[in-house]
């Protein structure tokens, strides 16, 4: 697997200007022309993986598509099951990302599977244990979920798939909860962990984007997931109010060093702007549920009231 990943992601750089060593082409230089920007050889392994077809496809279907050279044919069903069993390994997550991001056929295959929990449960368990992961590992998991959540079929399927139990979730017992409700709970938990520890804006945006994609398709969101969603809004609004109050206090105080006052003011304005955006997205998520899926989500209404 590691050899395959190296082959897929290796890019041989060809510099347009032969006098510049290839190691230095990434250095920013105001005098560098656009034409001197690095170019890359096409990677045949990456191309082969992106064009791989399911073995169950007819040869006629494969030959009908104008492909340069032979097409790799493999069993998507076996690949799906194999990935599901070893997703706790970081290299397997990277392979899944490569396939979901680069291979349209494999992405479509994943989206039509009825047992999405095979892939999603290990991903959600890893996000649940985010404190043991690096921010890069968390990004990879979130981007996979973000790509899948752009499909309305996927969003409808996760809410209809009911899990008998979630043994790794420690905070409370989860019996007969939908996969969609579990996703909402774990994503909100990731946001709260990020707020207290990593404080990474990009990670927040990804989590909220997945929730925003899922919002209009929410179906019988559990009481716990609904309560978590409303408590997320409550927590963000309290943070926002505290920052706004601090900013006003700083503005009222006359500081001896005006430059220092300006720097503090700029930092606070930036953070305040970030929280404004977060609050807006959470309101959009709640609004999407109330607008498009109100009759199917009484628990959300109850949590808001």
């Amino acid at each position: 697997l590691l050899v395959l990943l190296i082959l897929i992601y290796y890019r041989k750089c060809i510099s347009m200007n032969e006098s510049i060593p290839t190691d230095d082409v990434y250095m920013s230089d105001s005098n560098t022309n656009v034409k001197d920007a690095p170019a890359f050889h096409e990677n045949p392994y990456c191309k082969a993986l992106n064009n791989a077809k399911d073995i169950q496809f007819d040869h006629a279907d494969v030959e009908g598509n104008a492909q340069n050279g032979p097409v790799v044919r493999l069993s998507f069903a076996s690949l799906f099951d194999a990935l599901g069993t070893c997703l706790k390994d970081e290299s397997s997550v990277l392979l899944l990302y490569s396939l979901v991001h680069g291979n349209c056929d494999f992405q479509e295959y994943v989206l039509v599977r009825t047992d999405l929990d095979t892939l999603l449960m290990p991903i959600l368990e890893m996000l649940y244990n985010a404190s043991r992961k690096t921010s890069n590992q968390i990004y990879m998991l979130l981007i996979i979920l973000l790509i899948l959540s752009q499909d309305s079929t996927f969003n409808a399927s996760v809410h209809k798939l009911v899990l008998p139990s979630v043994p790794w979730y420690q905070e409370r017992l989860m019996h007969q909860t939908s996969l969609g409700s579990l996703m909402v709970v774990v994503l909100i938990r990731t946001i709260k962990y990020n707020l207290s520890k990593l404080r990474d804006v990009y990670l927040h945006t990804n989590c909220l984007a997945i929730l925003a994609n899922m919002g209009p398709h929410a179906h019988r969101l559990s009481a716990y997931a609904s309560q978590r969603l409303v408590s997320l809004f409550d927590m963000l609004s309290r943070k926002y109010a505290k920052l706004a109050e601090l900013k006003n206090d700083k503005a009222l105080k006359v500081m001896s060093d005006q430059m220092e006052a300006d720097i503090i003011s700029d930092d606070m304005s930036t953070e305040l702007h970030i929280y404004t955006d977060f609050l807006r997205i959470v309101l959009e998520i709640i609004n999407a549920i109330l607008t498009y899926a109100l009759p199917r989500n009484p628990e959300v209404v109850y949590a808001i009231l």
Side-chain angles (χ1 to χ4, degrees):
L1 176 54
L2 291 171
V3 172
L4 175 64
L5 290 171
I6 290 166
L7 291 171
I8 294 165
Y9 283 101
Y10 176 70
R11 294 280 188 278
K12 188 173 182 186
C13 181
I14 38 172
S15 175
M16 296 301 179
N17 187 343
E18 291 302 322
S19 64
I20 302 174
T22 51
D23 291 345
D24 298 335
V25 291
Y26 294 105
M27 292 183 73
S28 59
D29 185 354
S30 54
N31 300 325
T32 306
N33 259 328
V34 178
K35 65 178 182 183
D36 292 334
F40 297 96
H41 280 300
E42 189 175 53
N43 182 328
Y45 295 98
C46 183
K47 191 178 174 187
L49 187 84
N50 290 348
N51 292 330
K53 301 284 178 190
D54 193 353
I55 208 157
Q56 291 180 352
F57 263 85
D58 241 356
H59 275 288
D61 290 339
V62 176
E63 285 159 15
N65 295 330
Q67 297 284 352
N68 299 326
V71 174
V72 176
R73 292 163 60 77
L74 46 94
S75 167
F76 281 0
S78 301
L79 183 58
F80 182 93
D81 294 336
L83 282 166
T85 56
C86 53
L87 268 184
K88 287 184 181 175
D89 177 40
E90 191 183 356
S91 49
S92 303
V93 174
L94 183 54
L95 179 64
L96 176 61
Y97 164 77
S98 308
L99 287 162
V100 169
H101 180 260
N103 189 315
C104 297
D105 289 352
F106 184 77
Q107 187 185 327
E108 282 174 27
Y109 176 82
V110 170
L111 293 169
V112 297
R113 284 284 292 231
T114 51
D115 57 342
L116 282 166
D117 53 318
T118 306
L119 285 186
L120 292 186
M121 286 299 275
I123 290 174
L124 293 175
E125 187 177 353
M126 282 186 279
L127 284 174
Y128 177 78
N129 296 314
S131 55
R132 297 177 208 160
K133 306 285 173 193
T134 65
S135 54
N136 284 347
Q137 289 172 314
I138 299 170
Y139 282 145
M140 197 65 68
L141 297 165
L142 290 175
I143 290 166
I144 291 168
L145 292 179
L146 185 58
I147 292 168
L148 295 175
S149 71
Q150 288 169 2
D151 184 85
S152 56
T153 318
F154 169 85
N155 292 322
S157 302
V158 292
H159 286 290
K160 286 172 185 165
L161 203 159
V162 177
L163 306 164
S165 65
V166 186
W168 44 263
Y169 197 89
Q170 301 293 315
E171 277 81 352
R172 72 188 278 140
L173 286 171
M174 283 199 173
H175 291 306
Q176 300 300 316
T177 188
S178 71
L179 184 56
S181 293
L182 180 64
M183 273 182 75
V184 170
V185 168
V186 172
L187 286 167
I188 291 169
R189 193 176 184 276
T190 309
I191 291 170
K192 290 188 173 182
Y193 166 74
N194 182 43
L195 265 179
S196 59
K197 297 285 191 296
L198 301 176
R199 300 178 67 78
D200 188 324
V201 176
Y202 184 62
L203 199 146
H204 265 318
T205 311
N206 274 341
C207 286
L208 291 170
I210 299 163
L211 290 170
N213 287 343
M214 292 172 70
H217 307 276
H219 185 91
R220 295 204 171 278
L221 214 58
S222 71
Y224 184 53
S226 307
Q227 178 202 327
R228 296 282 82 203
L229 187 61
V230 175
S231 77
L232 173 67
F233 175 76
D234 183 47
M235 185 189 71
L236 289 171
S237 58
R238 275 190 280 113
K239 280 258 189 189
Y240 173 84
K242 193 175 176 185
L243 276 169
E245 192 181 330
L246 273 170
K247 193 185 173 203
N248 290 338
D249 287 351
K250 294 282 184 208
L252 291 169
K253 282 180 187 172
V254 180
M255 297 183 82
S256 56
D257 189 345
Q258 190 57 45
M259 192 179 285
E260 189 187 340
D262 291 342
I263 291 165
I264 291 169
S265 179
D266 286 348
D267 287 348
M268 284 202 164
S269 296
T270 307
E271 203 167 353
L272 205 60
H273 181 67
I274 289 165
Y275 276 97
T276 307
D277 286 345
F278 289 163
L279 276 170
R280 191 179 291 118
I281 298 168
V282 175
L283 281 172
E284 280 174 14
I285 294 162
I286 294 169
N287 186 51
I289 296 170
L290 297 180
T291 306
Y292 301 106
L294 179 63
R296 303 192 300 273
N297 292 284
E299 294 289 357
V300 178
V301 179
Y302 182 75
I304 292 166
L305 292 172

